[in-house]
PDB file of all heavy atoms in Angstrom:
ATOM      1  N   ILE A   1      -3.986   4.702   0.417  1.00  0.00           N
ATOM      2  CA  ILE A   1      -4.554   3.720  -0.539  1.00  0.00           C
ATOM      3  C   ILE A   1      -3.759   2.376  -0.412  1.00  0.00           C
ATOM      4  O   ILE A   1      -4.333   1.280  -0.391  1.00  0.00           O
ATOM      5  CB  ILE A   1      -4.525   4.210  -1.985  1.00  0.00           C
ATOM      6  CG1 ILE A   1      -5.492   5.331  -2.137  1.00  0.00           C
ATOM      7  CG2 ILE A   1      -4.840   3.075  -2.898  1.00  0.00           C
ATOM      8  CD1 ILE A   1      -5.449   6.027  -3.502  1.00  0.00           C
ATOM      9  N   ILE A   2      -2.444   2.513  -0.316  1.00  0.00           N
ATOM     10  CA  ILE A   2      -1.560   1.286  -0.176  1.00  0.00           C
ATOM     11  C   ILE A   2      -1.920   0.546   1.094  1.00  0.00           C
ATOM     12  O   ILE A   2      -2.049  -0.639   1.081  1.00  0.00           O
ATOM     13  CB  ILE A   2      -0.037   1.655  -0.170  1.00  0.00           C
ATOM     14  CG1 ILE A   2       0.332   2.159  -1.536  1.00  0.00           C
ATOM     15  CG2 ILE A   2       0.850   0.484   0.267  1.00  0.00           C
ATOM     16  CD1 ILE A   2       1.796   2.589  -1.656  1.00  0.00           C
ATOM     17  N   ALA A   3      -2.058   1.312   2.151  1.00  0.00           N
ATOM     18  CA  ALA A   3      -2.330   0.647   3.493  1.00  0.00           C
ATOM     19  C   ALA A   3      -3.695  -0.107   3.478  1.00  0.00           C
ATOM     20  O   ALA A   3      -3.857  -1.185   4.121  1.00  0.00           O
ATOM     21  CB  ALA A   3      -2.309   1.722   4.598  1.00  0.00           C
ATOM     22  N   GLU A   4      -4.623   0.357   2.681  1.00  0.00           N
ATOM     23  CA  GLU A   4      -5.972  -0.267   2.600  1.00  0.00           C
ATOM     24  C   GLU A   4      -5.871  -1.658   1.816  1.00  0.00           C
ATOM     25  O   GLU A   4      -6.903  -2.337   1.884  1.00  0.00           O
ATOM     26  CB  GLU A   4      -6.906   0.717   1.922  1.00  0.00           C
ATOM     27  CG  GLU A   4      -7.268   1.961   2.860  1.00  0.00           C
ATOM     28  CD  GLU A   4      -8.093   2.892   2.090  1.00  0.00           C
ATOM     29  OE1 GLU A   4      -8.445   2.615   0.940  1.00  0.00           O
ATOM     30  OE2 GLU A   4      -8.482   3.883   2.712  1.00  0.00           O
ATOM     31  N   THR A   5      -4.780  -1.854   1.076  1.00  0.00           N
ATOM     32  CA  THR A   5      -4.734  -3.150   0.290  1.00  0.00           C
ATOM     33  C   THR A   5      -4.456  -4.354   1.270  1.00  0.00           C
ATOM     34  O   THR A   5      -4.638  -5.502   0.776  1.00  0.00           O
ATOM     35  CB  THR A   5      -3.586  -3.033  -0.715  1.00  0.00           C
ATOM     36  OG1 THR A   5      -2.336  -2.934  -0.029  1.00  0.00           O
ATOM     37  CG2 THR A   5      -3.887  -1.908  -1.656  1.00  0.00           C
ATOM     38  N   ASP A   6      -4.068  -4.108   2.529  1.00  0.00           N
ATOM     39  CA  ASP A   6      -3.642  -5.236   3.370  1.00  0.00           C
ATOM     40  C   ASP A   6      -3.984  -4.819   4.890  1.00  0.00           C
ATOM     41  O   ASP A   6      -3.569  -3.837   5.344  1.00  0.00           O
ATOM     42  CB  ASP A   6      -2.183  -5.594   3.158  1.00  0.00           C
ATOM     43  CG  ASP A   6      -1.747  -6.765   4.014  1.00  0.00           C
ATOM     44  OD1 ASP A   6      -1.964  -7.928   3.604  1.00  0.00           O
ATOM     45  OD2 ASP A   6      -1.363  -6.596   5.187  1.00  0.00           O
ATOM     46  N   ASP A   7      -4.669  -5.762   5.606  1.00  0.00           N
ATOM     47  CA  ASP A   7      -5.087  -5.354   6.985  1.00  0.00           C
ATOM     48  C   ASP A   7      -3.913  -5.158   7.808  1.00  0.00           C
ATOM     49  O   ASP A   7      -3.875  -4.256   8.674  1.00  0.00           O
ATOM     50  CB  ASP A   7      -6.079  -6.523   7.519  1.00  0.00           C
ATOM     51  CG  ASP A   7      -7.398  -6.528   6.885  1.00  0.00           C
ATOM     52  OD1 ASP A   7      -7.705  -5.428   6.169  1.00  0.00           O
ATOM     53  OD2 ASP A   7      -8.139  -7.504   6.876  1.00  0.00           O
ATOM     54  N   ALA A   8      -2.939  -6.108   7.742  1.00  0.00           N
ATOM     55  CA  ALA A   8      -1.721  -6.000   8.554  1.00  0.00           C
ATOM     56  C   ALA A   8      -0.986  -4.722   8.292  1.00  0.00           C
ATOM     57  O   ALA A   8      -0.480  -4.016   9.193  1.00  0.00           O
ATOM     58  CB  ALA A   8      -0.867  -7.257   8.384  1.00  0.00           C
ATOM     59  N   LEU A   9      -0.931  -4.434   6.966  1.00  0.00           N
ATOM     60  CA  LEU A   9      -0.235  -3.248   6.562  1.00  0.00           C
ATOM     61  C   LEU A   9      -1.004  -1.966   7.140  1.00  0.00           C
ATOM     62  O   LEU A   9      -0.376  -1.052   7.631  1.00  0.00           O
ATOM     63  CB  LEU A   9      -0.192  -3.166   5.035  1.00  0.00           C
ATOM     64  CG  LEU A   9       0.999  -2.436   4.488  1.00  0.00           C
ATOM     65  CD1 LEU A   9       2.365  -3.054   4.832  1.00  0.00           C
ATOM     66  CD2 LEU A   9       0.884  -2.410   2.885  1.00  0.00           C
ATOM     67  N   MET A  10      -2.256  -2.056   7.102  1.00  0.00           N
ATOM     68  CA  MET A  10      -3.066  -0.907   7.562  1.00  0.00           C
ATOM     69  C   MET A  10      -2.809  -0.734   9.114  1.00  0.00           C
ATOM     70  O   MET A  10      -2.657   0.442   9.589  1.00  0.00           O
ATOM     71  CB  MET A  10      -4.516  -1.190   7.404  1.00  0.00           C
ATOM     72  CG  MET A  10      -5.475  -0.221   8.050  1.00  0.00           C
ATOM     73  SD  MET A  10      -5.354   1.494   7.381  1.00  0.00           S
ATOM     74  CE  MET A  10      -6.338   1.319   5.959  1.00  0.00           C
ATOM     75  N   GLU A  11      -2.678  -1.784   9.814  1.00  0.00           N
ATOM     76  CA  GLU A  11      -2.558  -1.634  11.273  1.00  0.00           C
ATOM     77  C   GLU A  11      -1.113  -1.085  11.625  1.00  0.00           C
ATOM     78  O   GLU A  11      -1.027  -0.158  12.424  1.00  0.00           O
ATOM     79  CB  GLU A  11      -2.555  -3.136  11.943  1.00  0.00           C
ATOM     80  CG  GLU A  11      -2.533  -3.059  13.394  1.00  0.00           C
ATOM     81  CD  GLU A  11      -2.756  -4.443  14.018  1.00  0.00           C
ATOM     82  OE1 GLU A  11      -3.321  -5.299  13.271  1.00  0.00           O
ATOM     83  OE2 GLU A  11      -2.465  -4.595  15.229  1.00  0.00           O
ATOM     84  N   ARG A  12      -0.075  -1.468  10.870  1.00  0.00           N
ATOM     85  CA  ARG A  12       1.176  -0.894  11.054  1.00  0.00           C
ATOM     86  C   ARG A  12       1.242   0.580  10.623  1.00  0.00           C
ATOM     87  O   ARG A  12       1.924   1.396  11.315  1.00  0.00           O
ATOM     88  CB  ARG A  12       2.247  -1.705  10.243  1.00  0.00           C
ATOM     89  CG  ARG A  12       2.549  -3.093  10.696  1.00  0.00           C
ATOM     90  CD  ARG A  12       3.569  -3.706  10.045  1.00  0.00           C
ATOM     91  NE  ARG A  12       4.845  -2.929   9.875  1.00  0.00           N
ATOM     92  CZ  ARG A  12       5.388  -2.544   8.707  1.00  0.00           C
ATOM     93  NH1 ARG A  12       4.975  -3.097   7.620  1.00  0.00           N
ATOM     94  NH2 ARG A  12       6.487  -1.748   8.716  1.00  0.00           N
ATOM     95  N   TYR A  13       0.559   0.856   9.591  1.00  0.00           N
ATOM     96  CA  TYR A  13       0.532   2.199   9.043  1.00  0.00           C
ATOM     97  C   TYR A  13      -0.141   3.231  10.085  1.00  0.00           C
ATOM     98  O   TYR A  13       0.380   4.322  10.291  1.00  0.00           O
ATOM     99  CB  TYR A  13      -0.115   2.253   7.754  1.00  0.00           C
ATOM    100  CG  TYR A  13      -0.194   3.639   7.032  1.00  0.00           C
ATOM    101  CD1 TYR A  13       0.913   4.181   6.565  1.00  0.00           C
ATOM    102  CD2 TYR A  13      -1.447   4.265   6.838  1.00  0.00           C
ATOM    103  CE1 TYR A  13       0.925   5.507   5.991  1.00  0.00           C
ATOM    104  CE2 TYR A  13      -1.481   5.529   6.345  1.00  0.00           C
ATOM    105  CZ  TYR A  13      -0.289   6.084   5.837  1.00  0.00           C
ATOM    106  OH  TYR A  13      -0.342   7.426   5.187  1.00  0.00           O
ATOM    107  N   LEU A  14      -1.329   2.788  10.632  1.00  0.00           N
ATOM    108  CA  LEU A  14      -1.975   3.463  11.557  1.00  0.00           C
ATOM    109  C   LEU A  14      -1.190   3.725  12.903  1.00  0.00           C
ATOM    110  O   LEU A  14      -1.361   4.703  13.547  1.00  0.00           O
ATOM    111  CB  LEU A  14      -3.295   2.912  11.861  1.00  0.00           C
ATOM    112  CG  LEU A  14      -4.351   2.932  10.801  1.00  0.00           C
ATOM    113  CD1 LEU A  14      -5.666   2.200  11.187  1.00  0.00           C
ATOM    114  CD2 LEU A  14      -4.596   4.342  10.289  1.00  0.00           C
ATOM    115  N   ASP A  15      -0.308   2.744  13.165  1.00  0.00           N
ATOM    116  CA  ASP A  15       0.599   2.798  14.269  1.00  0.00           C
ATOM    117  C   ASP A  15       1.804   3.712  14.066  1.00  0.00           C
ATOM    118  O   ASP A  15       2.607   3.964  14.945  1.00  0.00           O
ATOM    119  CB  ASP A  15       1.091   1.487  14.745  1.00  0.00           C
ATOM    120  CG  ASP A  15      -0.068   0.622  15.349  1.00  0.00           C
ATOM    121  OD1 ASP A  15      -1.108   1.232  15.850  1.00  0.00           O
ATOM    122  OD2 ASP A  15       0.120  -0.553  15.391  1.00  0.00           O
ATOM    123  N   GLY A  16       1.858   4.342  12.840  1.00  0.00           N
ATOM    124  CA  GLY A  16       2.892   5.321  12.522  1.00  0.00           C
ATOM    125  C   GLY A  16       4.130   4.718  11.987  1.00  0.00           C
ATOM    126  O   GLY A  16       5.205   5.343  11.773  1.00  0.00           O
ATOM    127  N   ALA A  17       4.144   3.288  11.629  1.00  0.00           N
ATOM    128  CA  ALA A  17       5.318   2.703  11.092  1.00  0.00           C
ATOM    129  C   ALA A  17       5.485   3.212   9.621  1.00  0.00           C
ATOM    130  O   ALA A  17       4.553   3.419   8.888  1.00  0.00           O
ATOM    131  CB  ALA A  17       5.132   1.133  11.104  1.00  0.00           C
ATOM    132  N   GLU A  18       6.763   3.252   9.269  1.00  0.00           N
ATOM    133  CA  GLU A  18       7.115   3.732   7.911  1.00  0.00           C
ATOM    134  C   GLU A  18       7.132   2.433   6.973  1.00  0.00           C
ATOM    135  O   GLU A  18       7.838   1.459   7.291  1.00  0.00           O
ATOM    136  CB  GLU A  18       8.429   4.456   7.851  1.00  0.00           C
ATOM    137  CG  GLU A  18       8.688   4.984   6.510  1.00  0.00           C
ATOM    138  CD  GLU A  18       9.936   5.918   6.511  1.00  0.00           C
ATOM    139  OE1 GLU A  18      10.313   6.437   7.508  1.00  0.00           O
ATOM    140  OE2 GLU A  18      10.603   6.087   5.511  1.00  0.00           O
ATOM    141  N   LEU A  19       6.548   2.484   5.856  1.00  0.00           N
ATOM    142  CA  LEU A  19       6.437   1.279   4.936  1.00  0.00           C
ATOM    143  C   LEU A  19       7.787   1.221   4.262  1.00  0.00           C
ATOM    144  O   LEU A  19       8.339   2.230   3.841  1.00  0.00           O
ATOM    145  CB  LEU A  19       5.261   1.456   4.001  1.00  0.00           C
ATOM    146  CG  LEU A  19       3.905   1.662   4.551  1.00  0.00           C
ATOM    147  CD1 LEU A  19       2.894   1.599   3.445  1.00  0.00           C
ATOM    148  CD2 LEU A  19       3.607   0.526   5.593  1.00  0.00           C
ATOM    149  N   SER A  20       8.236   0.007   4.111  1.00  0.00           N
ATOM    150  CA  SER A  20       9.494  -0.219   3.352  1.00  0.00           C
ATOM    151  C   SER A  20       9.294  -0.055   1.911  1.00  0.00           C
ATOM    152  O   SER A  20       8.144  -0.020   1.381  1.00  0.00           O
ATOM    153  CB  SER A  20       9.990  -1.717   3.660  1.00  0.00           C
ATOM    154  OG  SER A  20       9.137  -2.642   2.996  1.00  0.00           O
ATOM    155  N   ALA A  21      10.385   0.059   1.117  1.00  0.00           N
ATOM    156  CA  ALA A  21      10.310   0.304  -0.310  1.00  0.00           C
ATOM    157  C   ALA A  21       9.583  -0.827  -0.948  1.00  0.00           C
ATOM    158  O   ALA A  21       8.822  -0.711  -1.922  1.00  0.00           O
ATOM    159  CB  ALA A  21      11.752   0.495  -0.934  1.00  0.00           C
ATOM    160  N   ASP A  22       9.919  -2.072  -0.432  1.00  0.00           N
ATOM    161  CA  ASP A  22       9.286  -3.302  -1.059  1.00  0.00           C
ATOM    162  C   ASP A  22       7.732  -3.350  -0.779  1.00  0.00           C
ATOM    163  O   ASP A  22       6.932  -3.723  -1.687  1.00  0.00           O
ATOM    164  CB  ASP A  22       9.921  -4.611  -0.530  1.00  0.00           C
ATOM    165  CG  ASP A  22      11.317  -4.855  -1.119  1.00  0.00           C
ATOM    166  OD1 ASP A  22      11.630  -4.249  -2.171  1.00  0.00           O
ATOM    167  OD2 ASP A  22      12.020  -5.550  -0.441  1.00  0.00           O
ATOM    168  N   GLU A  23       7.333  -2.896   0.426  1.00  0.00           N
ATOM    169  CA  GLU A  23       5.878  -2.815   0.729  1.00  0.00           C
ATOM    170  C   GLU A  23       5.174  -1.784  -0.031  1.00  0.00           C
ATOM    171  O   GLU A  23       4.102  -1.964  -0.495  1.00  0.00           O
ATOM    172  CB  GLU A  23       5.735  -2.526   2.189  1.00  0.00           C
ATOM    173  CG  GLU A  23       6.158  -3.678   3.178  1.00  0.00           C
ATOM    174  CD  GLU A  23       6.080  -3.254   4.537  1.00  0.00           C
ATOM    175  OE1 GLU A  23       6.436  -2.027   4.977  1.00  0.00           O
ATOM    176  OE2 GLU A  23       5.729  -4.126   5.437  1.00  0.00           O
ATOM    177  N   VAL A  24       5.850  -0.672  -0.371  1.00  0.00           N
ATOM    178  CA  VAL A  24       5.287   0.405  -1.189  1.00  0.00           C
ATOM    179  C   VAL A  24       5.047  -0.168  -2.582  1.00  0.00           C
ATOM    180  O   VAL A  24       4.014   0.006  -3.232  1.00  0.00           O
ATOM    181  CB  VAL A  24       6.170   1.687  -1.253  1.00  0.00           C
ATOM    182  CG1 VAL A  24       5.606   2.648  -2.267  1.00  0.00           C
ATOM    183  CG2 VAL A  24       6.143   2.363   0.072  1.00  0.00           C
ATOM    184  N   LEU A  25       6.146  -0.844  -3.181  1.00  0.00           N
ATOM    185  CA  LEU A  25       5.960  -1.351  -4.566  1.00  0.00           C
ATOM    186  C   LEU A  25       4.832  -2.349  -4.603  1.00  0.00           C
ATOM    187  O   LEU A  25       4.033  -2.321  -5.548  1.00  0.00           O
ATOM    188  CB  LEU A  25       7.281  -2.002  -4.893  1.00  0.00           C
ATOM    189  CG  LEU A  25       8.545  -1.105  -5.231  1.00  0.00           C
ATOM    190  CD1 LEU A  25       9.758  -1.835  -5.569  1.00  0.00           C
ATOM    191  CD2 LEU A  25       8.161  -0.202  -6.370  1.00  0.00           C
ATOM    192  N   GLU A  26       4.832  -3.308  -3.675  1.00  0.00           N
ATOM    193  CA  GLU A  26       3.778  -4.353  -3.625  1.00  0.00           C
ATOM    194  C   GLU A  26       2.373  -3.656  -3.435  1.00  0.00           C
ATOM    195  O   GLU A  26       1.442  -4.062  -4.024  1.00  0.00           O
ATOM    196  CB  GLU A  26       4.062  -5.284  -2.559  1.00  0.00           C
ATOM    197  CG  GLU A  26       3.087  -6.487  -2.504  1.00  0.00           C
ATOM    198  CD  GLU A  26       3.219  -7.403  -3.739  1.00  0.00           C
ATOM    199  OE1 GLU A  26       4.239  -7.353  -4.489  1.00  0.00           O
ATOM    200  OE2 GLU A  26       2.216  -8.166  -4.045  1.00  0.00           O
ATOM    201  N   GLY A  27       2.349  -2.642  -2.624  1.00  0.00           N
ATOM    202  CA  GLY A  27       1.024  -2.040  -2.263  1.00  0.00           C
ATOM    203  C   GLY A  27       0.453  -1.268  -3.594  1.00  0.00           C
ATOM    204  O   GLY A  27      -0.680  -1.336  -3.826  1.00  0.00           O
ATOM    205  N   VAL A  28       1.434  -0.582  -4.240  1.00  0.00           N
ATOM    206  CA  VAL A  28       0.934   0.121  -5.470  1.00  0.00           C
ATOM    207  C   VAL A  28       0.431  -0.872  -6.553  1.00  0.00           C
ATOM    208  O   VAL A  28      -0.573  -0.652  -7.199  1.00  0.00           O
ATOM    209  CB  VAL A  28       2.166   1.051  -6.070  1.00  0.00           C
ATOM    210  CG1 VAL A  28       1.745   1.460  -7.433  1.00  0.00           C
ATOM    211  CG2 VAL A  28       2.452   2.184  -5.034  1.00  0.00           C
ATOM    212  N   ARG A  29       1.197  -1.974  -6.676  1.00  0.00           N
ATOM    213  CA  ARG A  29       0.842  -3.053  -7.685  1.00  0.00           C
ATOM    214  C   ARG A  29      -0.509  -3.663  -7.319  1.00  0.00           C
ATOM    215  O   ARG A  29      -1.366  -3.708  -8.224  1.00  0.00           O
ATOM    216  CB  ARG A  29       1.937  -4.154  -7.671  1.00  0.00           C
ATOM    217  CG  ARG A  29       1.757  -5.059  -8.843  1.00  0.00           C
ATOM    218  CD  ARG A  29       2.807  -6.191  -8.855  1.00  0.00           C
ATOM    219  NE  ARG A  29       4.201  -5.634  -8.936  1.00  0.00           N
ATOM    220  CZ  ARG A  29       5.129  -5.712  -7.933  1.00  0.00           C
ATOM    221  NH1 ARG A  29       4.775  -6.486  -6.832  1.00  0.00           N
ATOM    222  NH2 ARG A  29       6.242  -5.211  -8.149  1.00  0.00           N
ATOM    223  N   ASN A  30      -0.738  -3.931  -6.010  1.00  0.00           N
ATOM    224  CA  ASN A  30      -2.084  -4.481  -5.588  1.00  0.00           C
ATOM    225  C   ASN A  30      -3.125  -3.467  -5.852  1.00  0.00           C
ATOM    226  O   ASN A  30      -4.291  -3.777  -6.246  1.00  0.00           O
ATOM    227  CB  ASN A  30      -1.972  -4.883  -4.154  1.00  0.00           C
ATOM    228  CG  ASN A  30      -1.130  -6.083  -4.013  1.00  0.00           C
ATOM    229  OD1 ASN A  30      -0.841  -6.863  -4.929  1.00  0.00           O
ATOM    230  ND2 ASN A  30      -0.560  -6.228  -2.822  1.00  0.00           N
ATOM    231  N   ALA A  31      -2.910  -2.212  -5.540  1.00  0.00           N
ATOM    232  CA  ALA A  31      -3.938  -1.190  -5.733  1.00  0.00           C
ATOM    233  C   ALA A  31      -4.216  -0.884  -7.224  1.00  0.00           C
ATOM    234  O   ALA A  31      -5.351  -0.702  -7.509  1.00  0.00           O
ATOM    235  CB  ALA A  31      -3.402   0.163  -5.011  1.00  0.00           C
ATOM    236  N   VAL A  32      -3.228  -1.022  -8.042  1.00  0.00           N
ATOM    237  CA  VAL A  32      -3.488  -0.919  -9.439  1.00  0.00           C
ATOM    238  C   VAL A  32      -4.283  -2.029  -9.968  1.00  0.00           C
ATOM    239  O   VAL A  32      -5.371  -1.847 -10.682  1.00  0.00           O
ATOM    240  CB  VAL A  32      -2.157  -0.854 -10.281  1.00  0.00           C
ATOM    241  CG1 VAL A  32      -2.476  -0.970 -11.764  1.00  0.00           C
ATOM    242  CG2 VAL A  32      -1.451   0.431  -9.965  1.00  0.00           C
ATOM    243  N   GLN A  33      -4.088  -3.286  -9.461  1.00  0.00           N
ATOM    244  CA  GLN A  33      -4.872  -4.493  -9.843  1.00  0.00           C
ATOM    245  C   GLN A  33      -6.289  -4.328  -9.332  1.00  0.00           C
ATOM    246  O   GLN A  33      -7.209  -4.648 -10.101  1.00  0.00           O
ATOM    247  CB  GLN A  33      -4.194  -5.750  -9.275  1.00  0.00           C
ATOM    248  CG  GLN A  33      -5.022  -6.950  -9.598  1.00  0.00           C
ATOM    249  CD  GLN A  33      -4.376  -8.218  -8.928  1.00  0.00           C
ATOM    250  OE1 GLN A  33      -3.308  -8.044  -8.302  1.00  0.00           O
ATOM    251  NE2 GLN A  33      -4.992  -9.284  -9.098  1.00  0.00           N
ATOM    252  N   ALA A  34      -6.507  -3.778  -8.118  1.00  0.00           N
ATOM    253  CA  ALA A  34      -7.821  -3.637  -7.600  1.00  0.00           C
ATOM    254  C   ALA A  34      -8.607  -2.439  -8.177  1.00  0.00           C
ATOM    255  O   ALA A  34      -9.807  -2.415  -7.995  1.00  0.00           O
ATOM    256  CB  ALA A  34      -7.696  -3.499  -6.066  1.00  0.00           C
ATOM    257  N   GLY A  35      -7.872  -1.573  -8.869  1.00  0.00           N
ATOM    258  CA  GLY A  35      -8.582  -0.353  -9.426  1.00  0.00           C
ATOM    259  C   GLY A  35      -8.810   0.687  -8.399  1.00  0.00           C
ATOM    260  O   GLY A  35      -9.402   1.734  -8.715  1.00  0.00           O
ATOM    261  N   THR A  36      -8.067   0.579  -7.263  1.00  0.00           N
ATOM    262  CA  THR A  36      -8.293   1.594  -6.197  1.00  0.00           C
ATOM    263  C   THR A  36      -7.206   2.818  -6.451  1.00  0.00           C
ATOM    264  O   THR A  36      -7.334   3.724  -5.779  1.00  0.00           O
ATOM    265  CB  THR A  36      -8.141   1.044  -4.861  1.00  0.00           C
ATOM    266  OG1 THR A  36      -6.882   0.301  -4.707  1.00  0.00           O
ATOM    267  CG2 THR A  36      -9.225   0.097  -4.623  1.00  0.00           C
ATOM    268  N   LEU A  37      -6.268   2.567  -7.265  1.00  0.00           N
ATOM    269  CA  LEU A  37      -5.221   3.541  -7.631  1.00  0.00           C
ATOM    270  C   LEU A  37      -5.003   3.519  -9.061  1.00  0.00           C
ATOM    271  O   LEU A  37      -4.722   2.477  -9.657  1.00  0.00           O
ATOM    272  CB  LEU A  37      -3.974   3.236  -6.878  1.00  0.00           C
ATOM    273  CG  LEU A  37      -2.769   4.117  -7.241  1.00  0.00           C
ATOM    274  CD1 LEU A  37      -3.002   5.616  -6.833  1.00  0.00           C
ATOM    275  CD2 LEU A  37      -1.409   3.683  -6.619  1.00  0.00           C
ATOM    276  N   ILE A  38      -4.983   4.739  -9.673  1.00  0.00           N
ATOM    277  CA  ILE A  38      -4.670   4.942 -11.097  1.00  0.00           C
ATOM    278  C   ILE A  38      -3.435   5.879 -11.085  1.00  0.00           C
ATOM    279  O   ILE A  38      -3.602   7.096 -10.898  1.00  0.00           O
ATOM    280  CB  ILE A  38      -5.819   5.391 -11.932  1.00  0.00           C
ATOM    281  CG1 ILE A  38      -7.006   4.437 -11.865  1.00  0.00           C
ATOM    282  CG2 ILE A  38      -5.369   5.671 -13.308  1.00  0.00           C
ATOM    283  CD1 ILE A  38      -8.263   4.864 -12.602  1.00  0.00           C
ATOM    284  N   PRO A  39      -2.170   5.382 -11.157  1.00  0.00           N
ATOM    285  CA  PRO A  39      -1.027   6.220 -11.122  1.00  0.00           C
ATOM    286  C   PRO A  39      -1.001   7.237 -12.254  1.00  0.00           C
ATOM    287  O   PRO A  39      -1.274   6.911 -13.356  1.00  0.00           O
ATOM    288  CB  PRO A  39       0.095   5.263 -11.169  1.00  0.00           C
ATOM    289  CG  PRO A  39      -0.494   3.915 -10.845  1.00  0.00           C
ATOM    290  CD  PRO A  39      -1.811   3.971 -11.242  1.00  0.00           C
ATOM    291  N   ILE A  40      -0.716   8.551 -11.946  1.00  0.00           N
ATOM    292  CA  ILE A  40      -0.439   9.525 -12.978  1.00  0.00           C
ATOM    293  C   ILE A  40       1.041   9.702 -13.151  1.00  0.00           C
ATOM    294  O   ILE A  40       1.734   9.898 -12.026  1.00  0.00           O
ATOM    295  CB  ILE A  40      -1.132  10.799 -12.550  1.00  0.00           C
ATOM    296  CG1 ILE A  40      -2.729  10.681 -12.549  1.00  0.00           C
ATOM    297  CG2 ILE A  40      -0.796  11.919 -13.664  1.00  0.00           C
ATOM    298  CD1 ILE A  40      -3.448  11.878 -12.051  1.00  0.00           C
ATOM    299  N   ILE A  41       1.537   9.718 -14.350  1.00  0.00           N
ATOM    300  CA  ILE A  41       2.975   9.757 -14.576  1.00  0.00           C
ATOM    301  C   ILE A  41       3.180  10.948 -15.551  1.00  0.00           C
ATOM    302  O   ILE A  41       2.517  11.190 -16.553  1.00  0.00           O
ATOM    303  CB  ILE A  41       3.456   8.509 -15.242  1.00  0.00           C
ATOM    304  CG1 ILE A  41       3.230   7.309 -14.288  1.00  0.00           C
ATOM    305  CG2 ILE A  41       4.994   8.604 -15.458  1.00  0.00           C
ATOM    306  CD1 ILE A  41       3.266   6.037 -14.789  1.00  0.00           C
TER     307      ILE A  41
END
């Protein structure tokens, strides 16, 4: 879901690159804003 929030991120993710901690944080935040992720805690 995080990878789908950004085209460049998606390309790197599909190439097998590991996302950084900052990219994960930003990706979750963007996905929550877009409604594509509802975190369960």
Side-chain angles (χ1 to χ4, degrees):
I1 292 174
I2 290 173
E4 291 174 0
T5 63
D6 183 88
D7 290 341
L9 210 61
M10 172 66 82
E11 188 174 342
R12 288 184 52 231
Y13 181 68
L14 292 176
D15 289 341
E18 185 172 337
L19 304 183
S20 69
D22 288 341
E23 287 174 327
V24 170
L25 288 175
E26 183 67 20
V28 171
R29 191 181 301 119
N30 291 337
V32 169
Q33 180 183 356
T36 57
L37 174 63
I38 298 176
I40 297 175
I41 302 164

